[in-house]
Amino acid sequence: MHPPTEHAPDPPRIPYAQQMATVALTALAPATWGTTYVVTTELLPPGHPLFAGMLRALPGGLLALAITRVLPRGDWWWKAAVLGALNIGALYPLLFVAAERLPGGVAATLGATQPLMVAGLAVALLHDRPTAWRLTWGVLGVLGVGLVVLGPQARLDAVGIVAGLGGTATMAAGIVLTKRWGLPTGAGPMTLAGWQLTAGGLLLLPLTVALEGAPPRIDAGAAGGYLWLGSVGGLIASTLWFRGVGKLPVGASAPLVLLSPLVAAAIGIALGESLSPVQTFGFTLALAALLAAQLNAPNPVGRMVRDRPPEAHSRDHMRDDPIREGRT
């Protein structure tokens, strides 16, 4: 008589409410980033995108290092530098260039293509093939954002478009690499955020001095804008974002960036703007795409289910369902 075969226990099932709380907390980051355009155009002095990016990154990064007191070890020195260059050093100035040279609607629509870029990079780096469900909603999300923010007055500037697409691509690469490398042992989300903000800020510091020269004159409004972008929009939002990227599948976290243009549109409404019926439809479509990305694609009824062992079906469900999948 053969001894019973031992099976490794299935990974613990993360409660649905806990997963939704992770989604909600992660969503606060892109929602905060949705204020960048109005802060940049209304409060910050123009013509200094590198200075704005450096102030958004370096002070918050140094503060995070002082709080966590953890430095990278081993290969995490170069990994943190790469992630800092992608997520901070390249992203921040490109975003400010796009915000200065493009109407908010054009810049937001370019940013909304990020889930599609993430899906493409995930195939190469994570071997994670996107489903037709997520690709479809990714395209509809871009369409929805375009309907909300694009208008006949939208002008196209070549430098602004390159900056907008470049910023979107660097953040997409940062999301996928953050997911691939995960969190180093003994380091939490704020530690990872601090490493990247510091690395990105240090990268921007000499470039700012060399290319922009003396800093601009900072009045009270600009000081408040820089403080907001560096604290809430920088350290706090980055900590929440990297925490969520580490826990959620890329197919669930990447579409959350659609909140940025939606929040920007909501700010416009609060400032007296109104949405046309087409814009209202686009807003609803983009919000539906964001929510649909958190759900698993519906399975064809009865197909390849009855003939499979129940435990195999359970494992596949846990793997494919971004809401119920728990990753730390």
Side-chain angles (χ1 to χ4, degrees), residues 267-307:
I267 292 175
I269 295 174
L271 295 177
E273 299 177 5
S274 60
L275 294 182
S276 67
V278 172
Q279 288 177 307
T280 302
F281 171 75
F283 193 101
T284 305
L285 182 61
L287 187 60
L290 187 155
L291 296 175
Q294 311 305 318
L295 304 175
N296 194 27
N299 292 323
V301 178
R303 187 175 72 178
M304 297 181 66
V305 173
R306 289 189 296 269
D307 296 335

Side-chain angles (χ1 to χ4, degrees), residues 118-129 175-182 248-251 327:
V118 167
L121 290 172
V123 174
L125 298 178
L126 303 178
H127 307 292
D128 182 12
R129 299 184 63 181
I175 290 174
V176 175
L177 285 177
T178 300
K179 189 63 181 179
R180 179 182 176 87
W181 291 336
L248 298 171
V250 291
R327 299 182 184 178

Side-chain angles (χ1 to χ4, degrees), residues 5-81:
T5 303
E6 294 185 1
H7 297 280
D10 290 335
R13 192 181 282 257
I14 302 299
Y16 179 85
Q18 183 176 338
Q19 286 295 319
M20 290 306 298
T22 299
V23 171
L25 282 175
T26 307
L28 291 176
T32 301
W33 296 332
T35 65
T36 299
Y37 182 77
V38 67
V39 170
T40 300
T41 56
E42 299 297 327
L43 298 177
L44 303 189
H48 294 271
L50 293 176
F51 181 77
M54 187 270 294
L55 278 191
R56 187 175 183 178
L58 190 55
L62 294 176
L63 177 61
L65 291 182
I67 294 174
T68 60
R69 298 178 180 271
V70 177
L71 293 176
R73 295 180 180 179
D75 59 0
W76 267 100
W77 281 103
W78 68 265
K79 288 180 178 178

Side-chain angles (χ1 to χ4, degrees), residues 94-112:
L94 288 173
L95 287 181
F96 284 113
V97 169
E100 288 184 358
R101 300 184 69 100
L102 293 173
V106 177
T109 304
L110 295 176

